[in-house]
Amino acid sequence: MAEFVAFVLLLAVAAYACGGGTDYGAGFWDLTAGGAERGKRPRWLIDHAMAPVWEVNNVWLIFVFILMWTGFPVFFQTVFTALWLPFAVAALGMVLRGAGFALRKPSRRLARRRLFGAVFAIASLLTPFCLGAAVGAVASGRIAPGTEASAHAWATPASLLFGLLTVAGTALLGAVFLTADAKRFEAPDLVGYFRIRALAALGAVALTAVGVLLVTRVDAPHVWHGLTHGAGLALAIVSAVFFVATGLFVLRGQTHWARFSAVGIVGAAVFAWGLAQRPYLIPTSLSVADAAGDSQTLLWLSVVSLVALLLVAPAVFFLYWLDTHGELEPLTDSDLRRTGPTRGDAVDGD
């Protein structure tokens, strides 16, 4: 039973990494779009692309916390005690990010729009970095039940590189999805704009992934062994195949398929990490069996998880489908043209 709940927990983490990661990535490109005049047009697309679904992604995060707290209380206590600082920064970033996104559009004064936009964009960078750093601390086994909070637990090469890889992954997801949105909204210049950024993000993912593998071999030998053997290795290879496919799809302008392959990169990588840690939640100090709660609690949590997967997951995925197929909020290039063209970026007729 504990193994099943742990699998559902990993599934929820993967869902949040893909769904929430896409939104964080859009915020990253908002941050790097440039000044008010130069960045108007990309930010206009980002606002319209995110608006229908940005809040629903928190469903997966709430599900993760419920599974951790209820199903694995020792694990929950350990990570939130030893890693309270990165989690606190991430939580603050989520709040500020949501407030910035919600308030910048209706604000009439330019100064306020800039302020709220900056809050949204910076929080979109800090939040995934802190979450990735926390994952790196867990994977490296630097925390254990009873570990006190300290920078030694998470301010390490492994944690920092995990954080950078997380940011690069979100940037990739955001750029790929925004490229598809630009094509759907018939904005050819923004297709070229975000295609270049998707290719740059692919390069960043490759570099940081190599860095993570190098430090994992030294700082997280158990995870390294899991990634180079069995199911962990198989999923790592699947992620690499999706990586190559994404590059080809982006270069060929096949944005529809690029979205699926980009999600495949992140989803397969998350599952590779999770399976590489088996049978531990925290290598090598806390196993799934030792961290599990009462058997009756796990039984009912399994029932609730199955109900959620059958009822909530299809509804959320249907919402994603409506959004990606333009059924929720129509937007034409004439709407985008009101802010003027983006200067200095590639134009692609796709």
Side-chain angles (χ1 to χ4, degrees), residues 9 13 64-70 72-90 130-131 133-150 153-154 273 277 280-283 285-286 291:
L9 174 61
V13 171
V64 168
F65 287 155
I66 291 174
L67 289 170
M68 287 179 61
W69 183 14
T70 309
F72 306 100
V74 178
F75 179 53
F76 183 90
Q77 180 185 15
T78 300
V79 297
F80 278 90
T81 298
L83 304 173
W84 72 266
L85 183 56
F87 278 121
V89 174
C130 289
L131 293 175
V135 169
V138 172
S140 62
R142 289 182 176 270
I143 63 173
T147 300
E148 297 293 333
S150 69
W154 61 272
W273 156 65
Q277 292 195 172
Y280 297 101
L281 290 175
I282 302 177
S285 60
L286 187 64

Side-chain angles (χ1 to χ4, degrees), residues 90-221:
L92 180 63
M94 292 176 196
V95 174
L96 294 177
R97 181 177 181 274
F101 182 75
L103 295 175
R104 75 169 177 176
K105 195 171 183 179
S107 297
R108 295 184 177 181
R109 294 184 180 180
L110 178 61
R112 289 184 179 177
R113 288 202 300 272
R114 287 178 173 175
L115 174 62
F116 291 135
V119 169
F120 161 71
I122 293 173
S124 296
L125 175 65
L126 287 178
T127 300
F129 176 81
C130 289
L131 293 175
V135 169
V138 172
S140 62
R142 289 182 176 270
I143 63 173
T147 300
E148 297 293 333
S150 69
H152 174 74
W154 61 272
T156 65
S159 293
L160 297 179
L161 281 170
F162 263 90
L164 291 176
L165 178 60
T166 303
V167 172
T170 62
L172 173 61
L173 286 170
V176 169
F177 273 72
L178 287 168
T179 303
D181 286 329
K183 186 173 183 179
R184 174 162 56 90
F185 295 144
E186 299 180 353
D189 59 316
L190 288 181
V191 172
Y193 178 93
F194 284 111
R195 174 186 288 175
I196 292 173
R197 282 147 182 80
L199 294 173
L202 279 168
V205 168
L207 289 174
T208 51
V210 170
V212 165
L213 290 175
L214 290 176
V215 299
T216 298
R217 184 173 185 177
V218 177
D219 289 351

